[in-house]
Amino acid sequence: MLTLDKSQLLTKMPLFEAGQDGYRVCRIPGLLVTRNGVALASAEARRGNGGDYDDIDLLLRRSTDGGKTWSKPQLLASNQPYGPGPMHNLSLLCDRDDGVVHAVYCHDYARVFHATSSDDGATFSAPVEITDVVAAYRKIYPWRTVGTGPAHGLQLRSGRFIIPTWFSDGSGTEMGSGKRGHRPSTVGVIYSDDHGRTWACGDMVAWSDQRFRNPSETVAVELSDGRVLFNMRTECEEHRRLIAISPNGATQWTDPQFDAALLDPVCMGSIVRLSGLDDGKKSRVLFANPYTLERTMTAGWSSVNCDRKNLTVQLSYDDCKTWAVKKVIEAGPSGYSDLQLLPDGTILCLYESGAPVNAMCQDRYLTLARFNLEWITDGRDSL
């Protein structure tokens, strides 16, 4: 008989709540654990109706005790210095060499900025605009709408920074009159080989065409052999996550393929490596997203979306070829998420939760789940 590990852990707590401080809703969760073990949690705090083009600020909270307690929300970016339009699509990463935290984010789906923190996210430098970097993609695609991430970026063993980025020509009408659409969409990548001092565009990863409709929000993980896997949201009838692999995280991407095991209700997912890079341990990668294709919730902006509920974490032991274990984190309404790993092996997942069934995306909370490998595997595996 299997004896379950009594150290299994699952706790939950709300980190951001709708209706606070003049914000209608907080969406688009982001997580980062710094080199010093400080956890950073971010949110898009939205006024107005809570839509993508409403007035949006970027908020950040910090935890120095493994996600047990958190600072009050601090303002990372407000649109006042930038002009009309929302702040959005924050992607955080930490340089393991010097501990500097890098924040890449967008304004009005048209401009891209980069800021840094040398004190684990307590303060940030003045932002530097890097829109001219992504403008280079216009040589091959006439984009008018751009979004970095969202969710955490990735630093490879080589030191390279990777930020998945999506683009649209803005011709879609789904955002309403006078607003640039987010569809059709394509996926690319920006990267840095000099610790964020300069950035460059990689090859385009996935196009919207007859095979793959509107690839967009993408998460990345380094494979055991150093290759980089992109896991992408799409609006395809197959309702599966789209996968492409590069030898270096920037160029020579494989032709995208569906992962038959990973359902995609048309929602951002999240991914993180637990072990298997230069640590002598077996390869373990986690992926989380709403694991359902039911249609019981209302998504007024789309006829292709399935429900955002049943947030499920899945575990792969073979570099994302198969998914051996799955465990439900939140059975009820739950959407976007981000995953991170603490130094002691505790896993953090920040996710949207509490939306009413008749108003998907009007989430009541961004909830933080803290759990461990023992909980995911019912005690069958441990770091």
Side-chain angles (χ1 to χ4, degrees):
M1 178 184 295
L2 175 69
T3 301
L4 297 185
D5 190 332
K6 294 182 179 180
S7 65
Q8 292 180 45
L9 166 74
L10 173 65
T11 65
K12 299 178 185 179
M13 63 184 298
L15 281 193
F16 299 93
E17 184 176 357
Q20 303 297 306
D21 300 320
Y23 298 115
R24 180 184 178 95
V25 67
C26 289
R27 292 203 57 218
I28 323 299
L31 275 178
L32 181 71
V33 174
T34 73
R35 188 178 66 171
N36 294 322
V38 175
L40 307 177
S42 66
E44 291 186 10
R46 300 181 170 197
R47 296 185 175 88
N49 293 319
D52 289 353
Y53 276 102
D54 283 313
D55 187 11
I56 299 175
D57 294 335
L58 299 178
L59 300 183
L60 192 70
R61 300 187 70 176
R62 303 172 72 248
S63 173
T64 59
D65 60 3
K68 298 173 184 177
T69 62
W70 293 80
S71 68
K72 293 181 178 179
Q74 67 188 64
L75 187 65
L76 176 61
S78 175
N79 64 5
Q80 293 180 359
Y82 300 83
M87 311 306 299
H88 58 92
N89 280 75
L90 173 65
S91 188
L92 296 169
L93 66 82
C94 182
D95 191 333
R96 65 174 175 271
D97 295 325
D98 58 17
V100 172
V101 173
H102 295 259
V104 178
Y105 56 90
C106 301
H107 169 244
D108 197 35
Y109 295 95
R111 304 165 70 196
V112 183
F113 293 85
H114 172 232
T116 60
S117 172
S118 298
D119 53 12
D120 291 313
T123 61
F124 281 85
S125 67
V128 174
E129 186 165 3
I130 59 171
T131 308
D132 60 336
V133 174
V134 294
Y137 268 123
R138 291 197 176 109
K139 296 176 182 177
I140 58 174
Y141 181 72
W143 68 266
R144 298 174 59 232
T145 307
V146 61
T148 49
H152 65 271
L154 178 67
Q155 185 181 26
L156 308 183
R157 280 178 286 184
S158 66
R160 172 171 284 178
F161 293 176
I162 299 290
I163 305 287
T165 306
W166 62 263
F167 302 87
S168 173
D169 65 11
S171 62
T173 59
E174 77 281 1
M175 293 296 165
S177 176
K179 296 182 176 65
R180 287 166 284 113
H182 293 181
R183 299 166 180 84
S185 57
T186 64
V187 170
V189 58
I190 62 173
Y191 67 95
S192 174
D193 286 331
D194 57 9
H195 303 276
R197 287 186 288 273
T198 62
W199 296 82
C201 290
D203 293 342
M204 197 67 83
V205 181
W207 303 82
S208 185
D209 55 27
Q210 292 181 343
R211 300 174 302 160
F212 310 126
R213 185 166 61 182
N214 300 326
S216 59
E217 296 161 332
T218 298
V219 291
V221 67
E222 185 172 5
L223 302 179
S224 299
D225 60 7
R227 294 179 300 156
V228 178
L229 180 145
F230 271 19
N231 181 307
M232 294 170 274
R233 161 184 167 171
T234 76
E235 297 178 356
C236 300
E237 294 179 357
E238 287 82 353
H239 283 289
R240 294 298 187 276
R241 300 292 294 186
L242 194 62
I243 306 299
I245 297 175
S246 162
N248 54 38
T251 62
Q252 300 174 268
W253 292 93
T254 60
D255 190 42
Q257 302 291 329
F258 291 113
D259 187 328
L262 297 183
L263 303 184
D264 186 0
V266 188
C267 185
M268 173 197 167
S270 53
I271 200 165
V272 73
R273 175 172 289 280
L274 294 191
S275 60
L277 287 186
D278 299 331
D279 58 8
K281 299 179 181 179
K282 69 174 70 174
S283 176
R284 298 180 180 91
V285 176
L286 292 182
F287 173 79
N289 78 332
Y291 190 80
T292 182
L293 297 183
E294 294 182 358
R295 286 191 170 96
T296 62
M297 303 176 71
T298 302
W301 72 93
S302 172
S303 61
V304 301
N305 280 68
C306 301
D307 292 350
R308 292 183 176 177
K309 65 183 181 185
N310 199 46
L311 184 74
T312 300
V313 61
Q314 301 196 53
L315 170 63
S316 173
Y317 291 107
D318 56 8
D319 274 347
C320 307
K321 295 183 182 69
T322 62
W323 298 91
V325 182
K326 65 169 66 77
K327 194 75 173 280
V328 175
I329 298 174
E330 183 73 56
S334 41
Y336 284 32
S337 64
D338 201 7
L339 289 161
Q340 280 283 274
L341 182 68
L342 290 168
D344 67 357
T346 301
I347 303 154
L348 304 180
C349 183
L350 184 65
Y351 63 95
E352 298 172 337
S353 66
V357 295
N358 62 347
M360 196 188 300
C361 293
Q362 293 297 320
D363 302 277
R364 185 176 180 186
Y365 301 109
L366 291 188
T367 295
L368 180 78
R370 297 175 69 251
F371 52 93
N372 56 14
L373 185 57
E374 289 85 352
W375 175 79
I376 298 171
T377 62
D378 292 326
R380 292 174 174 85
D381 194 6
S382 172
L383 289 175

